[in-house]
Amino acid sequence: MTATFPLAGKRALVTGGSRGIGAAIARQLAADGADVAITYEKSADRAEAVAADIRAAGRNAVVVQADAGSVEGPRKAVDGAVKGLGGLDIVVNNAGIAGGTLFADQSTEEIDALLNVNIRGVLLTSQAALPHLGEGGRIISISSVLAHRVPFAGVTVYSATKSALEAFTLGLSRELGPKGITVNLVKPGATDTDMNPADGPNAAGLLSGISLGRFGQPTDIAAAVAFLAGPGANYITGTSLLVDGGVGA
């Protein structure tokens, strides 16, 4: 049986692709036939390991050091991807940081970091990519189930940053629809990563609200992103896709 590659010939950028959900997305896009550029801030060794997996799958891989929270980082990421891959068809805004501090105690520096990475980084990366995207282009951002429901304290600013991506997705989908470029959002629930391990101190409380009774895996999120990046999602734009195991049920 001949393997099919729905993303054959496509070139993708995955920000924050050195670990966790970003690494799973990068590997899945490569498995579906895309050449992939990933960015990292500090984890060079882990980024190179992901790139090695992509190359082992027979695809081109590019690694770019870029800080998503800086003014210049997003353009550096896009320029590096375009130079290394020869163009760009898919942008996955995955880079993000979490915050677990009560708002009353949160410093200006912590608030700025959340805003700069989780909102401004997504906006500037998308903006820098626009000149390179043509008909059939994709912009997919990673939000959170906490964008529309906040069942516990300590994530006020984080939730606000993820909620902002919904409005951004809706607005940009209107602007880019006439060009045949889709813009969508994936909203993961509790996912087993370094930032939120399934055996962590908050796991029991989170599990109690998940219909499927388990944390998601990074590959679960990657599968949703790959679907939105592929030909089966040609008529889907301005949409938020929940991948949360039934938390929102």
Side-chain angles (χ1 to χ4, degrees):
M1 184 175 179
T2 302
T4 59
F5 300 102
L7 298 180
K10 300 296 185 181
R11 299 152 300 184
L13 166 64
V14 181
T15 64
S18 66
R19 59 195 177 105
I21 290 172
I25 292 170
R27 291 185 175 106
Q28 183 61 62
L29 296 181
D32 284 354
D35 294 329
V36 184
I38 63 172
T39 71
Y40 73 96
E41 182 186 4
K42 298 175 182 176
S43 304
D45 290 346
R46 298 181 73 167
E48 290 295 346
V50 175
D53 289 343
I54 292 170
R55 295 180 187 119
R59 312 300 169 199
N60 186 18
V62 174
V63 175
V64 182
Q65 192 285 324
D67 177 4
S70 69
V71 173
E72 66 279 357
R75 183 164 295 280
K76 181 181 178 183
V78 171
D79 288 348
V82 170
K83 180 179 179 180
L85 301 179
L88 197 57
D89 305 289
I90 301 163
V91 176
V92 182
N93 291 304
N94 168 76
I97 59 175
T101 305
L102 291 174
F103 180 62
D105 302 323
Q106 211 153 18
S107 69
T108 301
E109 290 75 20
E110 290 173 314
I111 292 171
D112 281 346
L114 284 161
L115 295 174
N116 291 344
V117 176
N118 293 358
I119 302 178
R120 190 180 68 183
V122 172
L123 270 60
L124 293 183
T125 300
S126 301
Q127 188 178 58
L130 291 182
H132 306 286
L133 298 176
E135 178 82 22
R138 301 281 197 267
I139 296 176
I140 303 163
S141 301
I142 307 301
S143 177
S144 168
V145 68
L146 296 178
H148 69 277
R149 61 189 307 273
V150 187
F152 49 83
V155 291
T156 298
V157 177
Y158 173 79
S159 295
T161 65
K162 293 302 186 178
S163 180
L165 297 184
E166 297 203 62
F168 174 67
T169 296
L170 292 171
L172 193 59
S173 72
R174 287 290 190 185
E175 293 187 21
L176 300 185
K179 299 180 180 181
I181 300 170
T182 66
V183 187
N184 290 294
L185 197 65
V186 173
K187 296 163 65 174
T191 306
D192 186 14
T193 63
D194 291 347
M195 288 186 5
N196 188 27
D199 59 355
N202 299 317
L206 293 171
L207 281 171
S208 65
I210 301 174
S211 297
L212 292 179
R214 66 171 178 86
F215 271 40
Q217 294 299 312
T219 51
D220 295 321
I221 315 305
V225 171
F227 166 69
L228 290 172
N234 283 338
Y235 200 58
I236 299 174
T237 194
T239 290
S240 296
L241 178 58
L242 276 171
V243 188
D244 65 356
V247 168

